[in-house]
Amino acid sequence: MPRVSVVMPVFNAASVVADAVGSVLQQSFGDLELIVVDDGSTDGTASVLARFDDPRLRVVALPANAGIAVALNHGMSLATGDLLARMDGDDIARGDRLERQVVAMDADPSIGVSGSWVQALGRPGLVFRQPLTDAAIRARLQFGSAMFHPTVMVRRSVLADAFEYDPAWVPVEDYELWTRLARNPSVRFMNLPETLLEYRLPSPSRVDYAARQRRATVEVAVREAQRAGRVGDDVEARGALQSLVLRAPPEPGGWATLVDQCVVWSAADAETAREVAERWALIVRKVRFVEIPAMVRGVSRRSRGRAAVAAGWALYGVVRRRRWAEGVVEASRRVRARLRR
């Protein structure tokens, strides 16, 4: 029985799946099985997979395209390892990915779910990061996913039938699962501060997919916030949470409610307060000039009249969006530093 079962759902990935499969079979950690679930591909994916001659590879074909959640659940039901690892058919795992995660999880048996950072495939300088500790991950999970799905390794012991992927939540089936796991305080999360996977960026043409992903992320966050008693059925409160989730300015009349929500969330714990502060800063940076008056009015109502502070934050955010302005700010800093010498 292998220690690690890697589950890889694929659909019409003939042009890229060989690299993905090869990156798993060539891992420095060899005590593994790779279960590839061909989710009704019609482009020759099956022929590419048939070229591999490795007893650790098991290819299972679904009769028709059923979707990633169904394919994942089927693959996990066939897995025999006590550690289940995720992988997508268009990404590439670093050669020591599994070894690094197994070592980390063996070093701390309390960790139930581990992941890592990812690098954009073909772009070494573009690294996507997630929080590292259990507390920081749980704080981020209140507003969106805090694990890169293709990097995840989970102990079989923390999963049960109730914790399968829910097809109703595609394309955020992973985020929805993590939030359910996070309801159990004994399930601990971690991310390694290493880029263990090269991630293929989604095609810019998948605008509808991205929009559906954003909407579904908001719905999951609202559901969990309601469970925690932080958001009710109030439309304005839901709108404020949506602003935090999407890190986008609220409607012109929603700034006061957003400030109220920031106060409520920040009172939860230090990591949540830090996460909310980061999201607030990103929201402010997106404020347009024409929105500044509405922001100042809304924030000053909840800031004891400190409208000047609110306006300063708004202007700073708008200016920081422009590269030329960032250059001016940096140049002025250098000038001031020289004058102080």
Side-chain angles (χ1 to χ4, degrees), residues 152-338:
V152 164
M153 179 179 287
V154 58
R155 294 187 196 277
R156 178 186 295 278
S157 59
V158 309
L159 294 176
D161 291 341
F163 292 121
E164 290 185 337
Y165 292 93
D166 187 342
W169 286 105
V170 175
V172 294
E173 72 288 339
D174 55 325
Y175 172 44
E176 194 274 336
L177 175 59
W178 313 145
T179 59
R180 279 188 283 129
L181 287 175
R183 295 173 190 173
N184 183 350
S186 67
V187 175
R188 298 187 63 231
F189 298 82
M190 72 169 291
N191 279 311
L192 294 173
E194 306 172 52
T195 54
L196 299 182
L197 182 128
E198 295 183 53
Y199 174 71
R200 191 177 301 275
L201 295 174
S203 169
S205 63
R206 300 176 69 185
V207 178
D208 292 342
Y209 179 88
R212 287 192 297 118
Q213 195 172 49
R214 288 192 296 270
R215 288 194 298 269
T217 298
V218 171
E219 289 306 311
V220 173
V222 168
R223 183 192 71 182
E224 295 305 304
Q226 290 177 331
R227 282 180 54 86
R230 293 192 180 126
V231 172
D233 295 327
D234 186 296
V235 174
E236 292 184 352
R238 286 172 59 103
L241 178 54
Q242 174 176 305
S243 183
L244 284 171
V245 170
L246 301 180
R247 292 170 290 194
E251 295 296 322
W255 283 102
T257 305
L258 176 58
V259 173
D260 287 341
Q261 283 292 300
C262 287
V263 172
V264 170
W265 287 97
S266 297
D269 55 72
E271 289 294 347
T272 299
R274 187 175 294 108
E275 181 69 26
V276 169
E278 291 178 1
R279 288 174 180 271
W280 171 260
L282 290 170
I283 290 170
V284 169
R285 287 183 63 173
K286 295 177 182 177
V287 174
R288 298 180 299 170
F289 281 111
V290 295
E291 296 170 335
I292 290 176
M295 176 188 173
V296 171
R297 286 194 299 270
V299 174
S300 61
R301 290 175 197 161
R302 299 297 193 271
S303 303
R304 299 179 182 177
R306 289 178 293 178
V309 175
W313 270 100
L315 288 168
Y316 174 76
V318 174
V319 170
R320 285 285 295 174
R321 292 179 64 204
R322 290 161 172 75
R323 290 186 177 181
W324 65 266
E326 292 182 10
V328 171
V329 170
E330 182 58 32
S332 67
R333 286 175 180 168
R334 289 196 296 268
V335 170
R336 289 197 302 271
R338 285 198 295 269

Side-chain angles (χ1 to χ4, degrees), residues 22 56 59 73 81 83 86 88 96 114 121 127 145 184 191 193 214 216 240 252 269 278 286 316 322 338:
R56 299 173 299 170
V59 179
N73 288 337
L83 293 174
R86 271 284 290 114
D88 281 337
D96 61 348
S114 74
L121 186 61
V127 174
S145 185
N184 183 350
N191 279 311
R214 288 192 296 270
D269 55 72
E278 291 178 1
K286 295 177 182 177
Y316 174 76
R322 290 161 172 75
R338 285 198 295 269

Side-chain angles (χ1 to χ4, degrees), residues 10 14 17 38 41-51 59 61:
V10 298
V17 71
D38 186 354
S41 296
T42 58
D43 70 338
T45 294
S47 299
V48 175
L49 294 171
R51 299 173 193 160
V59 179

Side-chain angles (χ1 to χ4, degrees), residues 17-101:
V17 71
D19 289 338
V21 170
S23 73
V24 175
L25 297 179
Q26 295 166 15
Q27 287 286 302
S28 59
F29 184 88
D31 187 12
L32 63 87
E33 65 176 347
L34 172 58
I35 302 172
V36 177
V37 182
D38 186 354
D39 190 17
S41 296
T42 58
D43 70 338
T45 294
S47 299
V48 175
L49 294 171
R51 299 173 193 160
F52 286 90
D53 182 19
D54 192 313
R56 299 173 299 170
L57 172 63
R58 180 179 180 183
V59 179
V60 181
L62 299 183
N65 181 244
I68 187 172
V70 172
L72 277 170
N73 288 337
H74 186 61
M76 289 197 302
S77 72
L78 301 174
T80 60
D82 65 304
L83 293 174
L84 308 179
R86 271 284 290 114
M87 180 74 183
D88 281 337
D90 58 351
D91 298 329
I92 298 176
R94 296 286 175 86
D96 61 348
R97 175 212 159 172
L98 297 181
E99 179 181 4
R100 297 291 297 152
Q101 288 184 272

